[in-house]
Amino acid sequence: MAAESKENVLVGVIGGSGLYHLDNLTFVKHVNPETPWGFPSSPITICSLPSGTLVAFLARHGPGHIISPSSVPSRANIAALKSLGVRTILAFSAVGSLREEIPPGDFALPTQIIDRTKGIRPASFFDGLSVVAHAAFGDPFSMGLVRWLEGRVKKALEEEGRGVKLHTDKCIVCMEGPQFSTRAESNMYRMWGGDLINMSVLPEAKLAREAELGYALIATATDYDSWRPHEGAVTAAEVFKVLQANANTSRHVAATILEEMHAAAAEGGILTEEIGSMKFSIMPRSEKQKDEDRQKLAYILPEYFS
Ligand SMILES: CSC[C@H]1O[C@H](OP(=O)(O)O)[C@H](O)[C@@H]1O
Ligand SMILES: Nc1ncnc2[nH]cnc12
């Protein structure tokens, strides 16, 4: 039986800026599934926890950070993880803070998203196909997973002992980039109720929902964006200064919680709450739907299209 067989790899980890590997886990192998939406950002690393439990790790921008946020092949990334048997995804992202009380270095588990991408990223597996679907997205993160993570991530951060605080119930703005926001935009997002900002959570979260995968984001603050009147606006150099420390803490959090996350995903329940969620989101079967489109969709949703 292949090491990454569907029974074994239940949890996927997506690493963002600064988090290009989980080298505190044991490397098992690389896999590079070709999906109907192309290849993922990079070959996926199958890593082993001390117990032998396997997890899948994918670097969103590729190792060496060669893919800009608007060009991340998110459909291939989510489809590839699903093809390995992954049921739930823990994603990490470097984010700007729109709130004084979330300083660079702190972590957050957002529960809401404001979409400020510009429609140039393919955001649905159903785009351009003869099958139409409308996934529910009122709660863009898997709330069972988010609540499950809260206490465990907090404990892992306390155990690490660097004083990293976890903020909960925050709203993240996802902008197109790659340039950072203007001061006017940064202030507008604060007025809208945004607490954090990145360039990556969409369409990743939407696609995970369409593929019936659990999805939560650990947002790791790197800067105060551009809203503070007497401070300079964010620069990449400022972000880079914090990335390494945040990545080390992210690896510690992952190593601490992944074993239990795998066990909970194996049991079913709240970590797999998205399974079945697309059942009534897809327009009923019709002779007008093309077989080739249904076959493509069977890659991510075999229950409905095989
Ligand atoms: C390197 S600063 C901007 C860049 O960082 C974040 O990446 P990720 O979410 O993958 O950690 C942000 O979304 C931007 O893509
Ligand atoms: N200020 C910021 N805006 C958008 N994405 C970011 N990633 C890290 N910091 C960011």
Side-chain angles (χ1 to χ4, degrees):
M1 188 169 60
E4 72 283 8
S5 78
K6 292 207 175 205
E7 296 76 45
N8 288 335
V9 187
L10 303 182
V11 178
V13 178
I14 299 180
S17 298
L19 187 63
Y20 308 112
H21 50 75
L22 290 181
D23 60 0
N24 51 340
L25 307 185
T26 305
F27 172 82
V28 174
K29 59 151 76 174
H30 281 132
V31 291
N32 199 16
E34 182 172 16
T35 77
W37 297 275
F39 285 101
S41 294
S42 60
I44 294 171
T45 310
I46 306 296
C47 322
S48 157
L49 298 168
S51 65
T53 294
L54 299 177
V55 296
F57 176 82
L58 172 59
R60 184 183 288 124
H61 303 279
H65 205 128
I66 54 167
I67 307 174
S68 95
S70 306
S71 305
V72 170
S74 294
R75 291 191 295 190
N77 289 350
I78 297 296
L81 288 171
K82 177 120 195 209
S83 78
L84 299 178
V86 163
R87 296 179 187 173
T88 190
I89 294 175
L90 182 62
F92 288 87
S93 169
V95 307
S97 165
L98 299 171
R99 299 291 158 192
E100 195 65 47
E101 63 277 16
I102 311 178
D106 273 8
F107 281 23
L109 274 167
T111 47
Q112 278 299 324
I113 305 177
I114 294 174
D115 187 355
R116 281 277 297 167
T117 62
K118 300 284 168 75
I120 61 174
R121 307 175 181 195
S124 170
F125 287 108
F126 297 83
D127 267 2
L129 303 187
S130 58
V131 182
V132 174
H134 300 281
F137 204 56
D139 290 304
F141 299 99
S142 302
M143 285 311 297
L145 173 60
V146 171
R147 298 292 179 230
W148 186 93
L149 286 167
E150 281 173 357
R152 289 165 176 89
V153 173
K154 193 163 178 280
K155 192 156 166 256
L157 292 175
E158 281 163 10
E159 277 163 12
E160 193 196 25
R162 285 202 317 113
V164 176
K165 192 172 166 204
L166 182 71
H167 302 264
T168 54
D169 288 296
K170 298 298 168 203
C171 174
I172 185 163
V173 177
C174 186
M175 61 176 293
E176 188 60 54
Q179 301 83 359
F180 291 114
S181 307
T182 63
R183 288 185 189 273
E185 287 162 342
S186 196
N187 277 304
M188 178 180 74
Y189 298 146
R190 279 164 50 79
M191 286 189 265
W192 283 359
D195 303 303
L196 309 161
I197 182 161
N198 82 350
M199 306 177 191
S200 306
V201 70
L202 295 177
E204 206 169 84
K206 289 183 175 175
L207 296 164
R209 180 62 50 85
E210 284 188 349
E212 296 191 339
L213 295 176
Y215 181 89
L217 185 83
I218 299 190
T220 67
T222 50
D223 56 270
Y224 272 120
D225 203 44
S226 304
W227 56 270
R228 285 164 120 205
H230 304 297
E231 303 287 340
V234 60
T235 62
E238 187 188 348
V239 172
F240 295 153
K241 275 189 211 152
V242 193
L243 282 184
Q244 195 53 50
N246 281 0
N248 288 339
T249 300
S250 301
R251 277 188 277 271
H252 169 76
V253 168
T256 309
I257 64 173
L258 283 175
E259 185 66 56
E260 210 189 333
M261 197 168 159
H262 171 92
E267 259 173 37
I270 53 166
L271 263 62
T272 55
E273 66 195 327
E274 308 303 343
I275 294 174
S277 64
M278 289 297 287
K279 188 167 182 188
F280 300 109
S281 298
I282 302 164
M283 291 298 154
R285 186 169 193 155
S286 122
E287 64 197 19
K288 302 276 185 203
Q289 294 174 348
K290 294 186 188 140
D291 282 347
E292 72 217 57
D293 293 348
R294 295 183 63 86
Q295 270 164 30
K296 203 170 174 183
L297 292 165
Y299 191 88
I300 48 152
L301 293 169
E303 300 78 3
Y304 309 128
F305 294 105
S306 290

